[in-house]
């Protein structure tokens, strides 16, 4: 059975700030607005770096992410990608262009 390796966080404070921004964007209260903003900007949800640099997760998130080491960045990307898969199916269907692979 697969178990994810536990990697220690190098910069806990910055990591938590970026993690909070990602979790906030995918919270039930804000996820529709987040998806709508991606749709308007013609961004795909899996284009994490572009979403981050465009400020869709907040300007502080982009600055904090830039400060993180490679291991911490990888964990944030993994959190982001797992969060986008947990979005309700009806929202994913509504914002199909955002979720599409083409």
């Amino acid at each position: 059975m697969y178990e994810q390796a536990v990697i220690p966080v190098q910069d806990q404070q910055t990591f938590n700030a970026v993690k909070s921004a990602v979790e906030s964007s995918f919270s039930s209260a804000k996820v529709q607005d987040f998806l709508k903003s991606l749709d308007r900007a013609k961004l795909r949800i899996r284009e994490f770096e572009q979403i981050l640099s465009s400020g869709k997760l907040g300007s502080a998130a982009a600055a904090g992410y830039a400060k993180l080491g490679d291991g911490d960045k990888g964990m944030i990307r993994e959190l982001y990608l797992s969060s986008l898969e947990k979005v309700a199916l009806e929202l994913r269907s509504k914002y199909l262009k955002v979720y599409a692979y083409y």
Side-chain angles (χ1 to χ4, degrees):
M1 184 170 176
Y2 173 76
E3 284 187 37
Q4 184 176 0
V6 177
I7 302 170
V9 175
Q10 296 171 347
D11 183 352
Q12 191 69 49
Q13 186 176 4
T14 306
F15 180 87
N16 286 341
V18 178
K19 179 181 174 187
S20 175
V22 170
E23 289 172 341
S24 175
S25 293
F26 285 99
S27 70
S28 59
K30 294 183 180 180
V31 69
Q32 186 162 353
D33 291 335
F34 176 62
L35 293 173
K36 188 183 292 185
S37 73
L38 295 181
D39 189 35
R40 277 188 257 129
K42 297 186 182 347
L43 292 170
R44 304 268 187 247
I45 195 145
R46 289 174 184 83
E47 297 171 340
F48 176 69
E49 305 286 337
Q50 291 176 341
I51 291 168
L52 192 63
S53 65
S54 69
K56 300 297 181 190
L57 296 173
S59 58
Y65 184 79
K67 293 180 188 177
L68 295 174
D70 290 339
D72 292 352
K73 285 181 178 180
M75 288 187 285
I76 291 294
R77 277 191 305 273
E78 189 172 320
L79 169 72
Y80 177 83
L81 292 172
S82 66
S83 296
L84 70 86
E85 294 298 329
K86 294 176 185 172
V87 172
L89 190 56
E90 60 271 5
L91 281 176
R92 292 171 68 173
S93 296
K94 182 176 180 178
Y95 294 98
L96 186 60
K97 287 183 181 180
V98 172
Y99 272 88
Y101 281 104
Y102 57 84

